[in-house]
Each structure stands twice: as C-alpha cells, then as structure tokens.
Amino acid sequence: MRIETAQREQLQQWEKELEQQYQRICQHNLSLDITRGKPAADQLSLSDDLDGILNGDYRAPDGTDTRNYGGLEGIAAARELGADVLQVPYEEVLAGGSSSLTLMYHAVLTGYLFGFAGNQPWKDMSAPKFLCPVPGYDRHFAICEQLGIAMETVPMTATGPDMDVVEQKIREDDQIIGLWCVPKFSNPTGVTYDADTVDRLAQLGKVANPGFRIFWDNAYAIHDLDHQVALPNIREAALGNETADSVLQFASTSKVTHAGSGVAFVSASPANLASLKQQMSAMTIGPDKVNQLRHVRLFPELTQLKQHMQKHAEILRPKFACVLEHLDKNFADSDLGEWETPKGGYFVSFNTRPGVASEVIRLSAEAGVKLTPAGATFPYGKDPENTNIRIAPSFPPLEELDTAMSVFVLCVKLASVRKALQ
Ligand code: PLP
C-alpha cells in the first residue's frame, strides 16, 4: 500500500475494506496493553531467588551489618556491581535505593537548588534549560517540567543526538545546563550512540556553562538481545578532554531483577559525588543495604549477571521479532511508516506519516489496544509532527502481543488512508 501514488478511488476502496476489518476487530472486546516497558512476569521470576537468599546472614563481604543505619554511598560490594554495569571505578559509584529515576531527580534538584561542584545553582540563572533528544523518555521530560526548567528538542539520528545541533545550541546559549541521554538502546528509538557522538559529547564541557551536566541514563547498559553491542565509555572520553565533571551516569537493576525493588546507581566525578551526597545527606541516613546485599549475593561476579541477562534476552527476543515481523510484513513496501530495528532495550519506535499518530492511538484504544499516549516521547507531550508511537513489547504474553500488533497495523493503515482522503 503506497499512499503517495494512490488514486482517490483506490483510497476510498481501501478505506471501505479497512473499516470493515476494523469493525470486526472491535467486536472482539479486546483488552490489551503495550504502553510501558515493564518486564513480564516470567522475566521477574528469573530473580525470585532474591527471596531468602540472605538466609540469616546479613554481613556484607566487608563485614558491614546491612541491617543497621548508615552508609550513604551504599555497601562497597553493591557499588562494585554498579561499577561493572557502568564500566567505571567503584569509588565513583553511589549505590542507592530502588530507582535510578529517583537518583536522576535528586541530581537535577542538586543542580537546581545548590549547583554542582561549586557552580551557580540553576535556579539563580535567568533561563536555565535542558536539551532533550527526541523522541525521548517521557519521565526525563517530566522532571524538567515539574521544576520549571525549560526544554529544547534536538533530533535523534541513527547514531545518537544530532551533534551539529547540540554543539550549535551550546555555543549560542550559556543557559543550557543539561542534556538528557539514553546512550544505549535509547528509549524509544533503540539507537546506541557511536564513538564520534560520545567523543563530541565529552567535549561539550569545554564550551558549555561550567554548571552544564550530561545526564547519561544508561538504563539499558546490559540489555542486549543478541550479541553485546559496545557503547564507547563516556567517562574515559571525558577524562581525555578534561571534562569529567560534565557527566553524571545512571543505571539500575530495575529490568535485571525485580523492577520495583532493585538497586540504582549513580556514577560521577569526586566533585559531583560530593555535591550529590551533600544534598542527599539531609534527606536520608542511607539506602536499603539489605536489598543491596541480596543483589550482590545473586550476582557475586559479572559472569552471573551476564548469564542472567541472556535469560532475559531469550524471553524478549521472540516478542521483538513478533513486533518487527508485523511491521515488515505490512509496511516494508509502503510509505505508511518507518521504524528502527533495535538490538536491545525495551522499545520499538514507529513513525507514522505526519499528523496520523494520535488517530492510530485513538483507533487502537477503541479496539481495545492501549498504546503510549500520543506525544509522550516529546517534552510537554507535544509531538509537533504527530508521528511518533512507542511500542513496548515486553509485558504482554506473545499471543496477546501478536493480536495487539494485528490491531495496531490495521489502525495505522486506516488512519493513514483517512488522513490522505481529508
Ligand atoms: N531510564 C529509562 C531510559 C527508562 O526507560 C526507565 C524505565 O523505563 C528508567 C530510567 C527507570 O529506571 P528505574 O526503574 O531505575 O527508576
């Protein structure tokens, strides 16, 4: 089906046929959900050994009694786990509570209220703003929106954010104090930043406002579907450019063990870590060290962690294959949509023809398939072209996903034909 070259009568005929198929599907009273990137129950079960793993022995390898107060940075062995994931020295890692998003929120608050490493607090600047590669992760944008930090979008490319745009904006505007990045299997496009992008990012600290920080959210650092995809090391690139203070890295075990009760990590230069700890010390005496120890016992070495991630990949692979098969079969020879083929992570990002995405989402919802709301992958929920839809294949069982994708492709066709007829 090619919309551009079709005659009006052809489009009307397609609309009639698609409308009939759509009405039939609506009668099935489906209730399916491919909105958020949540692990499925069988993925969560991979980590059920966490329950009872301590077996009464609460001592960390260094002798710490994890049941007691203290240790703002987390236990050393958990920091080492975070260091393995982020490929940094453990001294530069803080192991926190269950959510990296919380750590990111605290890091933004630290910059906003107090400033990092002796720099001006962002709240005292005239117009502090973040650069936001789009499509991106809605919860990053929500943090800025809540704190009243302005956001400027930068297009994502197949190798990361468009660096010409990033560099130009930073050169021209010293009020830019942050940049959101999901550098490996980006949410939602699945792209992994290449070496040139990482190197250029590491150089930004030389020209940006001294308080500028890259929020390197490596949420999918070890979430490869097939072979391991290499992400160039931003810390090493920053050290080479003497910009180590310009980077804050984040990760967690949320999609490794139990999504709601994992361990989160932040890694940063000593000066940045000191700023973060100062902010956090008024807020907490320390994280849940017992849970950190559980994770250390489950993954005593990196080898166990890698084996564990392969089991996740085995469960996820057929689900991604299902989504991509539907897209290929229906749209490979059409002008109805574009998408990337991710090699890991949790999402497939689909771009419809301009102005069609919200109608696809509405039609799918009426047919019983819930998709991420239109615009969610853009700051303030506004997708200027109304094209992007984030598909999250992980949570539903394979048969349900298959049905949901049949509905989705039908709704893309119907909404596209109707738009062309307007
Ligand atoms: N960062 C990204 C890019 C995500 O996609 C997600 C969850 O979907 C998170 C962070 C949330 O991580 P956590 O559970 O550690 O807060």
Side-chain angles (χ1 to χ4, degrees), residues 37 98-101 104 137 140 182 187 217 219-220 252 254-255 259 347:
S98 62
S99 160
S100 62
L101 191 70
M104 287 178 242
Y137 179 39
H140 287 162
V182 183
N187 178 348
D217 177 3
Y220 302 107
S252 76
S254 287
K255 295 192 184 81
F347 304 102

PDB file of all heavy atoms in Angstrom, residues 37 98-101 104 137 140 182 187 217 219-220 252 254-255 259 347, ligand 1:
ATOM      1  N   GLY A  37       7.261  -0.009  29.245  1.00  0.00           N
ATOM      2  CA  GLY A  37       8.283  -1.052  29.133  1.00  0.00           C
ATOM      3  C   GLY A  37       8.482  -1.791  30.436  1.00  0.00           C
ATOM      4  O   GLY A  37       9.514  -1.641  31.086  1.00  0.00           O
ATOM      5  N   SER A  98      15.843   1.924  45.161  1.00  0.00           N
ATOM      6  CA  SER A  98      15.382   1.025  44.104  1.00  0.00           C
ATOM      7  C   SER A  98      15.249   1.686  42.739  1.00  0.00           C
ATOM      8  O   SER A  98      15.030   0.995  41.753  1.00  0.00           O
ATOM      9  CB  SER A  98      14.031   0.426  44.504  1.00  0.00           C
ATOM     10  OG  SER A  98      13.093   1.466  44.628  1.00  0.00           O
ATOM     11  N   SER A  99      15.411   3.012  42.635  1.00  0.00           N
ATOM     12  CA  SER A  99      15.072   3.646  41.357  1.00  0.00           C
ATOM     13  C   SER A  99      16.136   4.634  40.879  1.00  0.00           C
ATOM     14  O   SER A  99      16.500   5.569  41.608  1.00  0.00           O
ATOM     15  CB  SER A  99      13.729   4.384  41.521  1.00  0.00           C
ATOM     16  OG  SER A  99      13.583   5.366  40.521  1.00  0.00           O
ATOM     17  N   SER A 100      16.608   4.425  39.657  1.00  0.00           N
ATOM     18  CA  SER A 100      17.565   5.385  39.082  1.00  0.00           C
ATOM     19  C   SER A 100      16.865   6.694  38.739  1.00  0.00           C
ATOM     20  O   SER A 100      17.480   7.754  38.751  1.00  0.00           O
ATOM     21  CB  SER A 100      18.242   4.795  37.844  1.00  0.00           C
ATOM     22  OG  SER A 100      17.293   4.516  36.844  1.00  0.00           O
ATOM     23  N   LEU A 101      15.565   6.613  38.450  1.00  0.00           N
ATOM     24  CA  LEU A 101      14.830   7.847  38.156  1.00  0.00           C
ATOM     25  C   LEU A 101      14.845   8.777  39.382  1.00  0.00           C
ATOM     26  O   LEU A 101      14.989   9.991  39.260  1.00  0.00           O
ATOM     27  CB  LEU A 101      13.386   7.521  37.739  1.00  0.00           C
ATOM     28  CG  LEU A 101      12.613   8.690  37.160  1.00  0.00           C
ATOM     29  CD1 LEU A 101      13.138   9.089  35.791  1.00  0.00           C
ATOM     30  CD2 LEU A 101      11.126   8.355  37.059  1.00  0.00           C
ATOM     31  N   MET A 104      18.123  10.414  39.456  1.00  0.00           N
ATOM     32  CA  MET A 104      18.175  11.493  38.449  1.00  0.00           C
ATOM     33  C   MET A 104      17.436  12.724  38.961  1.00  0.00           C
ATOM     34  O   MET A 104      17.886  13.852  38.791  1.00  0.00           O
ATOM     35  CB  MET A 104      17.551  11.016  37.131  1.00  0.00           C
ATOM     36  CG  MET A 104      18.441  10.040  36.391  1.00  0.00           C
ATOM     37  SD  MET A 104      17.657   9.468  34.879  1.00  0.00           S
ATOM     38  CE  MET A 104      17.526   7.733  35.216  1.00  0.00           C
ATOM     39  N   TYR A 137      12.575   9.933  26.475  1.00  0.00           N
ATOM     40  CA  TYR A 137      11.899   9.271  27.601  1.00  0.00           C
ATOM     41  C   TYR A 137      11.029  10.291  28.351  1.00  0.00           C
ATOM     42  O   TYR A 137      11.536  11.278  28.881  1.00  0.00           O
ATOM     43  CB  TYR A 137      12.976   8.677  28.513  1.00  0.00           C
ATOM     44  CG  TYR A 137      12.483   7.960  29.743  1.00  0.00           C
ATOM     45  CD1 TYR A 137      11.352   7.146  29.721  1.00  0.00           C
ATOM     46  CD2 TYR A 137      13.181   8.050  30.939  1.00  0.00           C
ATOM     47  CE1 TYR A 137      10.922   6.469  30.850  1.00  0.00           C
ATOM     48  CE2 TYR A 137      12.766   7.378  32.083  1.00  0.00           C
ATOM     49  CZ  TYR A 137      11.640   6.598  32.030  1.00  0.00           C
ATOM     50  OH  TYR A 137      11.216   5.923  33.151  1.00  0.00           O
ATOM     51  N   HIS A 140      11.999  11.669  31.889  1.00  0.00           N
ATOM     52  CA  HIS A 140      13.052  12.698  31.947  1.00  0.00           C
ATOM     53  C   HIS A 140      12.420  14.080  31.788  1.00  0.00           C
ATOM     54  O   HIS A 140      12.706  15.004  32.552  1.00  0.00           O
ATOM     55  CB  HIS A 140      14.058  12.515  30.793  1.00  0.00           C
ATOM     56  CG  HIS A 140      14.975  11.341  30.946  1.00  0.00           C
ATOM     57  ND1 HIS A 140      15.664  10.813  29.878  1.00  0.00           N
ATOM     58  CD2 HIS A 140      15.343  10.612  32.024  1.00  0.00           C
ATOM     59  CE1 HIS A 140      16.402   9.799  30.290  1.00  0.00           C
ATOM     60  NE2 HIS A 140      16.222   9.653  31.586  1.00  0.00           N
ATOM     61  N   VAL A 182      19.969   8.746  26.654  1.00  0.00           N
ATOM     62  CA  VAL A 182      19.856   7.302  26.923  1.00  0.00           C
ATOM     63  C   VAL A 182      20.762   6.659  25.878  1.00  0.00           C
ATOM     64  O   VAL A 182      20.338   6.382  24.755  1.00  0.00           O
ATOM     65  CB  VAL A 182      18.399   6.802  26.800  1.00  0.00           C
ATOM     66  CG1 VAL A 182      18.316   5.315  27.170  1.00  0.00           C
ATOM     67  CG2 VAL A 182      17.473   7.612  27.680  1.00  0.00           C
ATOM     68  N   ASN A 187      15.657   4.952  24.651  1.00  0.00           N
ATOM     69  CA  ASN A 187      14.205   4.932  24.818  1.00  0.00           C
ATOM     70  C   ASN A 187      13.660   6.154  24.069  1.00  0.00           C
ATOM     71  O   ASN A 187      13.946   7.270  24.460  1.00  0.00           O
ATOM     72  CB  ASN A 187      13.899   5.010  26.319  1.00  0.00           C
ATOM     73  CG  ASN A 187      12.418   5.040  26.620  1.00  0.00           C
ATOM     74  OD1 ASN A 187      11.610   5.230  25.729  1.00  0.00           O
ATOM     75  ND2 ASN A 187      12.063   4.871  27.878  1.00  0.00           N
ATOM     76  N   ASP A 217      21.840   8.439  31.115  1.00  0.00           N
ATOM     77  CA  ASP A 217      20.959   7.434  31.723  1.00  0.00           C
ATOM     78  C   ASP A 217      21.141   6.101  30.995  1.00  0.00           C
ATOM     79  O   ASP A 217      20.456   5.824  30.010  1.00  0.00           O
ATOM     80  CB  ASP A 217      19.503   7.930  31.623  1.00  0.00           C
ATOM     81  CG  ASP A 217      18.522   6.914  32.174  1.00  0.00           C
ATOM     82  OD1 ASP A 217      18.962   5.865  32.680  1.00  0.00           O
ATOM     83  OD2 ASP A 217      17.301   7.173  32.081  1.00  0.00           O
ATOM     84  N   ALA A 219      20.192   3.155  31.230  1.00  0.00           N
ATOM     85  CA  ALA A 219      19.191   2.214  31.760  1.00  0.00           C
ATOM     86  C   ALA A 219      19.265   0.843  31.085  1.00  0.00           C
ATOM     87  O   ALA A 219      18.869  -0.165  31.664  1.00  0.00           O
ATOM     88  CB  ALA A 219      17.796   2.800  31.572  1.00  0.00           C
ATOM     89  N   TYR A 220      19.779   0.803  29.834  1.00  0.00           N
ATOM     90  CA  TYR A 220      19.785  -0.465  29.083  1.00  0.00           C
ATOM     91  C   TYR A 220      21.202  -0.947  28.787  1.00  0.00           C
ATOM     92  O   TYR A 220      21.463  -1.585  27.765  1.00  0.00           O
ATOM     93  CB  TYR A 220      18.936  -0.302  27.807  1.00  0.00           C
ATOM     94  CG  TYR A 220      17.528   0.095  28.168  1.00  0.00           C
ATOM     95  CD1 TYR A 220      17.059   1.385  27.952  1.00  0.00           C
ATOM     96  CD2 TYR A 220      16.695  -0.799  28.830  1.00  0.00           C
ATOM     97  CE1 TYR A 220      15.788   1.768  28.362  1.00  0.00           C
ATOM     98  CE2 TYR A 220      15.425  -0.428  29.245  1.00  0.00           C
ATOM     99  CZ  TYR A 220      14.979   0.854  29.002  1.00  0.00           C
ATOM    100  OH  TYR A 220      13.726   1.218  29.428  1.00  0.00           O
ATOM    101  N   SER A 252      20.429   0.999  36.760  1.00  0.00           N
ATOM    102  CA  SER A 252      19.775   0.284  37.861  1.00  0.00           C
ATOM    103  C   SER A 252      19.568  -1.170  37.472  1.00  0.00           C
ATOM    104  O   SER A 252      19.777  -1.544  36.323  1.00  0.00           O
ATOM    105  CB  SER A 252      18.420   0.919  38.201  1.00  0.00           C
ATOM    106  OG  SER A 252      17.452   0.555  37.236  1.00  0.00           O
ATOM    107  N   SER A 254      16.599  -2.400  37.719  1.00  0.00           N
ATOM    108  CA  SER A 254      15.138  -2.485  37.598  1.00  0.00           C
ATOM    109  C   SER A 254      14.686  -3.513  36.563  1.00  0.00           C
ATOM    110  O   SER A 254      13.728  -4.230  36.791  1.00  0.00           O
ATOM    111  CB  SER A 254      14.568  -1.133  37.188  1.00  0.00           C
ATOM    112  OG  SER A 254      14.634  -0.249  38.258  1.00  0.00           O
ATOM    113  N   LYS A 255      15.341  -3.557  35.421  1.00  0.00           N
ATOM    114  CA  LYS A 255      14.944  -4.524  34.398  1.00  0.00           C
ATOM    115  C   LYS A 255      15.966  -5.654  34.328  1.00  0.00           C
ATOM    116  O   LYS A 255      16.201  -6.262  33.293  1.00  0.00           O
ATOM    117  CB  LYS A 255      14.776  -3.809  33.065  1.00  0.00           C
ATOM    118  CG  LYS A 255      13.640  -2.828  33.135  1.00  0.00           C
ATOM    119  CD  LYS A 255      13.245  -2.307  31.794  1.00  0.00           C
ATOM    120  CE  LYS A 255      12.180  -1.260  31.941  1.00  0.00           C
ATOM    121  NZ  LYS A 255      12.736   0.051  32.292  1.00  0.00           N
ATOM    122  N   ALA A 259      11.525  -5.269  39.041  1.00  0.00           N
ATOM    123  CA  ALA A 259      11.512  -3.883  38.547  1.00  0.00           C
ATOM    124  C   ALA A 259      11.261  -2.850  39.642  1.00  0.00           C
ATOM    125  O   ALA A 259      11.817  -1.763  39.614  1.00  0.00           O
ATOM    126  CB  ALA A 259      10.474  -3.745  37.436  1.00  0.00           C
ATOM    127  N   PHE A 347      12.100  -1.103  23.578  1.00  0.00           N
ATOM    128  CA  PHE A 347      11.096  -0.442  22.741  1.00  0.00           C
ATOM    129  C   PHE A 347      11.353  -0.578  21.250  1.00  0.00           C
ATOM    130  O   PHE A 347      12.483  -0.782  20.813  1.00  0.00           O
ATOM    131  CB  PHE A 347      11.053   1.057  23.078  1.00  0.00           C
ATOM    132  CG  PHE A 347      10.785   1.299  24.530  1.00  0.00           C
ATOM    133  CD1 PHE A 347      11.822   1.638  25.386  1.00  0.00           C
ATOM    134  CD2 PHE A 347       9.514   1.137  25.052  1.00  0.00           C
ATOM    135  CE1 PHE A 347      11.589   1.824  26.743  1.00  0.00           C
ATOM    136  CE2 PHE A 347       9.266   1.321  26.403  1.00  0.00           C
ATOM    137  CZ  PHE A 347      10.307   1.662  27.246  1.00  0.00           C
TER     138      PHE A 347
HETATM  139  N1  PLP B   1      15.549   5.413  32.408  1.00  0.00           N
HETATM  140  C1  PLP B   1      14.996   4.938  31.279  1.00  0.00           C
HETATM  141  C2  PLP B   1      15.544   5.361  29.964  1.00  0.00           C
HETATM  142  C3  PLP B   1      13.907   4.071  31.351  1.00  0.00           C
HETATM  143  O1  PLP B   1      13.369   3.620  30.208  1.00  0.00           O
HETATM  144  C4  PLP B   1      13.408   3.691  32.609  1.00  0.00           C
HETATM  145  C5  PLP B   1      12.237   2.812  32.721  1.00  0.00           C
HETATM  146  O2  PLP B   1      11.525   2.562  31.803  1.00  0.00           O
HETATM  147  C6  PLP B   1      14.011   4.218  33.761  1.00  0.00           C
HETATM  148  C7  PLP B   1      15.083   5.072  33.631  1.00  0.00           C
HETATM  149  C8  PLP B   1      13.508   3.901  35.117  1.00  0.00           C
HETATM  150  O3  PLP B   1      14.517   3.304  35.847  1.00  0.00           O
HETATM  151  P1  PLP B   1      14.346   2.969  37.388  1.00  0.00           P
HETATM  152  O4  PLP B   1      13.382   1.871  37.496  1.00  0.00           O
HETATM  153  O5  PLP B   1      15.731   2.580  37.813  1.00  0.00           O
HETATM  154  O6  PLP B   1      13.879   4.216  38.077  1.00  0.00           O
END
